[in-house]
């Protein structure tokens, strides 16, 4: 599964795997794809350095990249404490009442809550980049529009390609105008923050809008047949995220969550603002139902919602309160019905890709090579 882009990056398959787990990112690259480590949870630069050191030691010299969440426009003088102060007391009480309803225990004394959604703050992302550019990353992806111009220039000065996610052709054109190198066309089916346009419609629109820039298709891709369809629509590769959540290398810290993912069907996700304040596809749970309830207070805009629920989500995950337990994941979750290694996933994807291409060749009256 080679394209002009995969050849440029020196990978066997035009298969880009986004993951928050260093072991998964390294395994994707070793398997012939391109692993991309999600950095948003690394609020401490030393933690990111530790995990990039680990990837360097386990990637066998293969290329990999980093994904950050960085606003294109700078907001001066705003601290996390300033943002916290904007959260209404009524919303804080709603969180307390919902947790009490399900008997969610507090964290142990002295136990820090998990990831707080602060990666949206520009300085956090810049600190991440100060670490990352000391490593031989080959790609910098941004999930929140185009990065600032100076970041794009800094990446290009170090021969690092820059990618940005887009949910519409209009967004993709803005990325092209900003000077990015790769557009990730993320369809409605995708996990996490996503727009309103489905991948089958979005991918060719974006390809046409930014030609000749390479486009990666994301959202609803979890089989070799779907990868072949993406390339047929004009993409130069695929961007996969959800499919890695149930691989054996993923450090989910929750068997209960893994069981829920393996049991879920493609209709068991919801596009909700419950996690961050922006529409994000995730498992539908009684937690998302509570925030989507018209009788509730409603969600707050990003980043207020993320800061509001960060401690609550940590408690739910720590104590594995199953009715409330969820995670961002795409509609492809319906295909995630067994635990496999990254290598097994890549082998299945590429084998089925070859079968799909052979099928198209037969339909077109050409014998497969």
């Amino acid at each position: 599964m080679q394209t002009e882009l995969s050849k440029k990056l020196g990978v066997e398959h035009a298969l880009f795997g986004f993951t928050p787990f260093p072991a998964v990112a390294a395994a994707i690259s070793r398997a012939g794809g391109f692993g991309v480590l999600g950095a948003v949870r690394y609020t401490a630069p030393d933690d990111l350095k530790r995990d990039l050191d680990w990837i360097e030691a386990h990637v066998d010299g293969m290329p990999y990249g980093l994904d950050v969440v960085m606003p294109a426009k700078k907001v001066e003088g705003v601290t996390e404490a300033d943002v916290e102060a904007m959260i209404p007391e009524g919303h804080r009480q709603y969180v307390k009442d919902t947790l009490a309803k399900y008997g969610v225990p507090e964290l142990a004394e002295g136990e820090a809550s998990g990831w707080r959604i602060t990666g949206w703050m520009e300085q956090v992302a810049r600190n991440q980049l100060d670490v990352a550019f000391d490593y031989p990353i080959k790609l910098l992806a941004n999930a929140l529009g185009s990065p600032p111009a100076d970041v794009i220039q800094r990446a290009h000065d170090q021969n690092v390609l820059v990618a940005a996610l887009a949910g519409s052709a209009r967004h993709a054109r803005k990325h092209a105008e900003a000077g990015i190198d790769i557009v990730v066309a993320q369809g409605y089916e995708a996990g996490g923050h996503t727009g309103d346009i489905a991948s089958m419609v979005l991918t060719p629109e974006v390809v046409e809008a930014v030609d000749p820039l390479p486009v990666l298709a994301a959202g609803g891709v979890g089989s070799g047949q779907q990868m072949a369809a993406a390339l047929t629509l004009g993409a130069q590769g695929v961007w996969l995220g959800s499919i890695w959540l149930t691989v054996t290398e993923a450090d989910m810290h929750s068997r209960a969550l893994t069981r829920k993912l393996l049991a879920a069907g493609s209709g068991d996700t919801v596009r909700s603002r419950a996690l961050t304040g922006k529409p994000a596809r995730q498992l539908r749970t009684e937690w998302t139902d509570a925030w989507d309830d018209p009788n509730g207070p409603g969600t707050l805009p990003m980043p207020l919602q993320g800061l509001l629920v960060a401690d609550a989500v940590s408690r739910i995950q720590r104590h594995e309160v199953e009715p409330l337990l969820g995670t961002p994941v795409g509609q492809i979750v319906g295909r995630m019905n067994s635990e496999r290694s990254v290598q097994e996933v890549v082998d299945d994807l590429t084998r089925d890709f070859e079968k799909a291409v052979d099928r198209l060749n037969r339909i077109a009256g050409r014998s497969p090579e």
Side-chain angles (χ1 to χ4, degrees):
M1 185 177 165
Q2 288 249 316
T3 65
E4 183 179 342
L5 179 59
S6 65
K7 292 175 183 176
K8 183 175 184 177
L9 286 167
V11 295
E12 184 179 359
H13 308 301
L15 187 163
F16 295 72
F18 165 81
T19 174
F21 306 118
V24 177
I28 292 168
S29 291
R30 290 198 308 271
F34 190 99
V36 182
L37 178 67
V40 70
R41 67 190 178 96
Y42 292 98
T43 54
D46 286 347
D47 291 341
L48 178 59
K49 183 179 186 304
R50 177 201 64 216
D51 283 355
L52 289 176
D53 283 340
W54 191 94
I55 289 176
E56 271 293 296
H58 292 83
V59 81
D60 293 349
M62 302 306 294
Y64 62 94
L66 193 75
D67 179 279
V68 298
V69 178
M70 192 173 196
K73 295 182 179 179
K74 189 171 184 178
V75 180
E76 298 282 1
V78 178
T79 67
E80 184 177 337
D82 294 331
V83 178
E84 288 267 15
M86 301 177 190
I87 298 174
E89 186 55 39
H91 282 72
R92 294 187 187 278
Q93 189 61 50
Y94 189 69
V95 170
K96 293 177 183 177
D97 292 344
T98 304
L99 295 177
K101 177 181 176 181
Y102 290 90
V104 182
E106 298 279 353
L107 294 174
E109 185 175 352
E111 182 179 358
S113 63
W115 167 48
R116 295 180 64 79
I117 302 170
T118 54
W120 57 272
M121 298 179 74
E122 180 177 357
Q123 191 54 52
V124 173
R126 286 188 179 275
N127 290 342
Q128 293 165 350
L129 295 178
D130 287 341
V131 172
F133 283 133
D134 286 337
Y135 292 82
I137 62 171
K138 298 299 182 184
L139 176 71
L140 172 66
N142 191 38
L144 200 64
S146 303
D150 69 296
V151 172
I152 296 175
Q153 186 60 54
R154 184 180 179 187
H156 287 168
D157 288 345
Q158 297 193 207
N159 295 316
V160 175
L161 297 180
V162 181
L165 274 64
S168 71
R170 178 175 60 85
H171 293 155
R173 290 188 194 97
K174 288 185 176 181
H175 294 333
E177 292 166 1
I180 63 96
D181 306 291
I182 302 166
V183 175
V184 181
Q186 180 165 289
Y188 173 80
E189 308 96 323
H193 295 131
T194 186
D196 300 306
I197 305 173
S199 297
M200 184 66 75
V201 174
L202 178 66
T203 301
E205 286 186 352
V206 171
V207 168
E208 182 177 347
V210 301
D211 184 61
L213 287 183
V215 173
L216 300 177
V221 182
S223 72
Q225 294 90 337
Q226 289 162 327
M227 293 198 306
L231 268 60
T232 302
L233 294 172
Q236 284 203 31
V238 292
W239 178 274
L240 309 178
S242 298
I243 198 75
W244 314 112
L245 290 174
T246 54
V247 295
T248 53
E249 295 91 341
D251 187 11
M252 289 291 286
H253 298 297
S254 173
R255 291 303 303 170
L257 181 53
T258 298
R259 288 194 300 270
K260 290 187 75 170
L261 288 167
L262 294 173
S266 55
D268 292 328
T269 68
V270 62
R271 193 163 162 267
S272 170
R273 298 177 185 268
L275 185 60
T276 68
K278 290 185 69 176
R281 187 170 298 285
Q282 54 203 280
L283 275 183
R284 181 175 180 178
T285 67
E286 293 183 34
W287 178 256
T288 61
D289 286 349
W291 284 103
D292 295 336
D293 187 341
N295 295 319
T299 55
L300 297 170
M302 189 180 191
L304 300 182
Q305 181 71 16
L307 292 172
L308 169 67
V309 304
D311 290 347
V313 170
S314 293
R315 289 167 58 185
I316 292 166
Q317 293 174 343
R318 173 67 180 82
H319 297 289
E320 296 192 320
V321 183
E322 291 205 33
L324 306 180
L325 189 61
T327 185
V329 68
Q331 291 180 332
I332 201 65
V333 70
R335 296 186 65 92
M336 296 157 49
N337 49 26
S338 65
E339 292 184 78
R340 298 173 289 167
S341 69
V342 166
Q343 184 66 64
E344 288 173 318
V345 171
V346 172
D347 287 346
D348 287 344
L349 290 170
T350 53
R351 180 172 54 250
D352 289 344
F353 171 81
E354 291 179 1
K355 290 179 180 178
V357 172
D358 288 348
R359 187 183 309 118
L360 287 173
N361 279 326
R362 289 195 298 271
I363 292 171
R366 295 189 294 269
S367 298
E369 296 179 3

